[in-house]
């Protein structure tokens, strides 16, 4: 069976973590090997970059370059080998997060992000170059107000979680624009729902593509 690459997106507080874990179990139950990973992160080097990105003050370009540097290492060291083995790769955030947070939230130049995306995600398969993208992106869509309520008091906020509501509205718009640019890649899930209802929708999105029975 060929590899499968699924990313999970949404603003902080949208509640993706438990569902990523649930999907990993569902795939394993059907005999698939699963690589569970996240961005920024997923390799020793990328996890070091994550700590900087989430904690240190920096300008938007530096932030964008660091998340793409982490992504390059992650793709080369972890994602591509896993896909070549035929794994299901479940990735908590990928490039859409950069367009949403650095592009939408911080207002960084989208054209430059598109160029970085092309450079960083160019991989070789059977001697030909192509740009790696997830086969499916599950977007947990939740109004910024509700996400903020959910996050209140949950834990010490990192640099992004501490941002004002208006930042997360722009992040949400960033996700929406990415979906509109490539609708077939996305499953938009209404995350303002019970956990069971959200899980049902996540499962349905994967089943509809014939990847889970
Ligand atoms: P998150 O995925 O929410 O992990 P946790 O649940 O452990 O906090 O944290 C990652 C943060 O990094 C999140 O606030 C979004 C941000 N981020 C970017 O700003 N750009 C990116 O390209 C990525 C992948 C994440």
């Amino acid at each position: 069976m060929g590899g499968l690459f699924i990313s999970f997106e949404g603003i902080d507080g949208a509640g993706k973590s438990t569902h990523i874990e649930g999907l990993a179990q569902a795939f394993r139950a059907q005999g698939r090997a699963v690589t569970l990973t996240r961005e920024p992160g997923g390799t020793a080097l990328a996890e070091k970059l994550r700590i900087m990105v989430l904690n240190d003050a920096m300008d938007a370009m530096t932030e964008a370059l660091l998340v793409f540097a982490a992504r390059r290492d992650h793709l080369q060291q972890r994602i591509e080998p896993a896909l070549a083995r035929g794994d299901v790769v479940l990735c908590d955030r990928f490039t859409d997060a950069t367009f949403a947070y650095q592009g939408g939230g911080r207002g960084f130049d989208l054209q430059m992000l598109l160029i970085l995306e092309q450079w960083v995600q160019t991989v070789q398969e059977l001697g030909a170059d192509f740009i790696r993208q997830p086969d499916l992106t599950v977007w947990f869509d939740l109004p910024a107000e509700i996400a903020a309520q959910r996050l209140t008091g949950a834990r010490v906020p990192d640099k992004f979680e501490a941002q004002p509501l208006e930042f997360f509205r722009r992040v949400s718009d960033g996700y929406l624009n990415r979906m509109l640019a490539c609708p077939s890649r996305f499953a938009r899930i209404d995350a303002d729902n019970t956990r069971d209802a959200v899980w049902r929708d996540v499962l349905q999105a994967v089943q509809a593509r014939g990847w889970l029975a």
Side-chain angles (χ1 to χ4, degrees):
M1 244 179 289
L4 206 55
F5 182 19
I6 305 178
S7 65
F8 300 84
E9 298 284 358
I11 58 176
D12 292 273
K16 47 193 167 52
S17 305
T18 53
H19 301 297
I20 300 174
E21 197 53 58
L23 260 193
Q25 282 174 21
F27 274 112
R28 285 182 182 126
Q30 298 197 6
R32 297 288 308 250
V34 175
T35 291
L36 203 55
T37 188
R38 68 171 180 183
E39 290 212 345
T43 66
L45 174 62
E47 290 290 335
K48 288 187 202 167
L49 293 171
R50 177 189 178 91
I51 292 170
M52 298 179 200
V53 169
L54 264 56
N55 297 290
D56 296 343
M58 59 187 75
D59 85 318
M61 190 191 294
T62 308
E63 211 168 81
L65 292 169
L66 288 182
V67 292
F68 269 117
R71 183 160 301 133
R72 179 70 183 174
D73 192 58
H74 190 207
L75 268 172
Q76 291 217 307
Q77 305 298 327
R78 191 106 191 267
I79 296 177
E80 290 304 325
L83 292 174
R85 286 195 302 270
D87 278 19
V88 177
V89 175
L90 303 180
C91 192
D92 189 344
R93 301 189 184 282
F94 195 63
T95 306
D96 299 309
T98 312
F99 281 81
Y101 280 78
Q102 281 65 51
R106 295 231 187 271
F108 186 66
D109 185 356
L110 297 178
Q111 290 307 315
M112 202 176 296
L113 294 182
L114 284 167
I115 292 168
L116 287 167
E117 176 182 37
Q118 286 188 17
W119 279 20
V120 167
Q121 289 166 228
T122 294
V123 295
Q124 262 208 349
E125 208 169 69
L126 306 170
D129 280 353
F130 73 101
I131 297 174
R132 174 66 72 192
Q133 294 290 2
D135 299 299
L136 169 67
T137 297
V138 181
W139 173 29
F140 294 84
D141 186 20
L142 185 70
E145 295 76 12
I146 296 172
Q149 285 166 18
R150 287 189 188 175
L151 280 180
T152 305
R155 58 181 171 186
V156 180
D158 65 35
K159 196 175 92 184
F160 293 105
E161 290 161 352
Q163 292 292 320
L165 207 53
E166 194 44 49
F167 178 88
F168 288 104
R169 292 207 183 96
R170 293 197 300 273
V171 173
S172 271
D173 286 348
Y175 279 127
L176 178 63
N177 289 332
R178 283 288 278 185
M179 187 187 78
L180 294 176
C182 194
S184 62
R185 176 164 65 81
F186 277 82
R188 181 183 191 171
I189 306 286
D190 178 6
D192 185 11
N193 226 328
T194 63
R195 186 174 289 193
D196 285 350
V198 172
W199 169 244
R200 189 196 57 217
D201 290 348
V202 170
L203 203 53
Q204 206 267 328
V206 178
Q207 286 169 337
R209 285 161 176 82
W211 298 333
L212 273 176

